[in-house]
Amino acid sequence: MNSSLTPTLQLAIDLIRCRSVTPEDDGCQELMIKRLEAIGFKTERLRFGEVDNFWAVRTGIDGTDGPILAFAGHTDVVPTGPEANWTNPPFEPKIIDGMLHGRGAADMKGSLAAMVIACESFVAKNPNHKGRIAFLITSDEEGPSINGTVKVVEWLEARNTKMTWCIVGEPSSTAQVGDVIKNGRRGSLGAILKVKGIQGHVAYPHLADNPIHKFAPALAELTAEHWDNGNEFFPATSFQVSNINGGTGATNVIPGEVEVIFNFRFSTELTETILRERTEAILNKHKLKYELKWILSGQPFLTPRGDLVNAVVDAIKSEVGLDAELSTTGGTSDGRFIAPTGAQVVELGPINATIHKVNECISADDLNKLTGIYEKTLEKLLS
């Protein structure tokens, strides 16, 4: 251990050294478990499929009936791409000009380190704290998210174990650590659409039926459709096409099918059912022959002002002097699996400018500040 490093930075470095490219954990969770068990946490290792997860709980003075403040996160990281493109090797963490470099520094091994060290400090000062502190950790967030948090939540629900509050350590900050708290997320509804036609020669279009031509007016209507106005917490629902594939590759063949992949990011103003019905009504209006497969990745959720949001806002103000902005923008997170259980959920983590990029990095000082924010949140809710 480097004696010049804070405990948070040392643990973050140890975690980044693990080559935990999703769904691999590569020892990250055991590093965390060892630290947590040393301060009184009871751990249950939960492996589903090829994915490692764990649930750890420290029970306070009021026993198993106390509220649960859970820290949630993931040890897996996205692939690095060609490592030769990195200024510093992605799994050989190094602090350069005050920035901690390495894959996962921001997303989200830095947050995990801050959570663990915050708990160590809080428990040392408050060994008989109120309520319960928990960790829900997975190695399947950057992948398909099938055998990770969603399975742990199902396991908890079967045992009737309910999180009261949950802090997800995703990198939520924009310009300064703590400037943005995600207190909700839009829903994500995807679809794979196959529009059918009749293949033929481009010189004899009367003997074929071009599905691309048939679909074009429907696509224009879908992209121009006004789905909703959003609300005070969410922007308007967005429809986006990500892929269109049709044709044989030859220039003289009318295709027999076109495949279109699209996605809705939707607010609480609409439901999944309404989006499906309105989309299919447009497709039917244009008399298309089609197959449609819907994929719901997550429902929208919102945690309004209350115990958790107020505690986190106050902790940020106390630790770094910022008035945090509440936001629901961005993609999805594992919070979408936790919020439906009734838990209050927020995302709070470091600056997200370099996540998933080559040369991912985070301010070393920010990690220390984040540790302080997490500890003050513990104090406000459980001391």
Side-chain angles (χ1 to χ4, degrees), residues 55-342:
W55 171 256
V57 180
R58 188 183 198 277
T59 301
I61 194 169
D62 46 2
T64 57
D65 292 329
I68 297 176
L69 170 56
F71 291 98
H74 61 91
T75 55
D76 58 324
V77 298
V78 295
T80 63
E83 293 193 17
N85 293 340
W86 287 65
T87 301
N88 189 70
F91 297 106
E92 296 178 20
K94 188 175 183 181
I95 297 177
I96 305 170
D97 296 329
M99 303 295 289
L100 173 60
H101 287 251
R103 175 56 89 218
D107 190 12
M108 57 171 285
K109 293 182 178 181
S111 297
L112 297 179
M115 291 170 172
V116 171
I117 302 305
C119 286
E120 288 181 345
S121 180
F122 174 75
V123 167
K125 299 170 187 173
N126 302 274
N128 296 316
H129 60 79
K130 299 176 184 176
R132 290 168 282 173
I133 312 170
F135 278 74
L136 192 170
I137 305 299
T138 183
S139 61
D140 183 35
E141 197 275 343
E142 299 291 8
S145 299
I146 294 172
N147 289 313
T149 299
V150 64
K151 286 286 180 67
V152 179
V153 168
E154 290 171 358
W155 176 82
L156 290 170
E157 288 287 286
R159 299 183 357 158
N160 199 31
T161 299
K162 298 280 190 181
M163 289 170 271
T164 313
W165 310 294
C166 181
I167 299 174
V168 184
E170 291 292 346
S172 63
S173 303
T174 302
Q176 301 178 70
V177 66
D179 61 356
V180 176
I181 301 166
K182 302 288 187 180
N183 66 320
R185 290 286 192 168
R186 293 175 293 175
S188 177
L189 177 64
I192 301 173
L193 170 68
K194 293 182 180 180
V195 180
K196 307 290 185 177
I198 299 174
Q199 184 173 313
H201 197 293
V202 296
Y204 302 95
H206 59 290
L207 300 177
D209 185 15
N210 194 319
I212 297 176
H213 292 189
K214 282 287 184 69
F215 177 61
L219 176 59
E221 187 167 343
L222 287 166
T223 56
E225 181 76 0
H226 181 77
W227 301 96
D228 64 25
N229 293 317
N231 55 38
E232 62 176 311
F233 302 106
F234 291 93
T237 292
S238 167
F239 168 87
Q240 292 294 318
V241 174
S242 58
N243 289 268
I244 297 181
N245 298 291
T248 64
T251 60
N252 59 352
V253 178
I254 293 170
E257 179 180 285
V258 61
E259 181 181 86
V260 183
I261 300 175
F262 59 87
N263 178 270
F264 288 99
R265 293 299 166 102
F266 62 104
S267 75
T268 49
E269 293 295 300
L270 294 174
T271 66
E272 166 203 357
T273 300
I274 291 173
L275 286 171
R276 290 185 181 196
E277 291 174 347
R278 287 175 60 181
T279 300
E280 291 170 16
I282 291 172
L283 298 175
N284 294 334
K285 172 184 172 183
H286 291 272
K287 297 182 170 55
L288 300 177
K289 297 177 182 178
Y290 65 90
E291 296 175 359
L292 187 56
K293 178 183 178 182
W294 291 101
I295 303 138
L296 179 67
S297 299
Q299 298 283 5
F301 71 89
L302 178 71
T303 297
R305 285 274 186 174
D307 294 341
L308 180 60
V309 170
N310 291 340
V312 173
V313 167
D314 290 348
I316 290 169
K317 183 69 172 179
S318 174
E319 187 69 15
V320 296
L322 293 176
D323 294 313
E325 173 193 351
L326 300 180
S327 172
T328 62
T329 60
T332 60
S333 78
D334 277 359
R336 70 189 188 272
F337 303 126
I338 299 168
T341 68

Side-chain angles (χ1 to χ4, degrees), residues 346-359:
V346 299
E347 296 170 29
L348 174 61
I351 293 172
N352 55 29
T354 64
I355 60 174
H356 293 204
K357 292 183 177 181
V358 169
N359 296 326

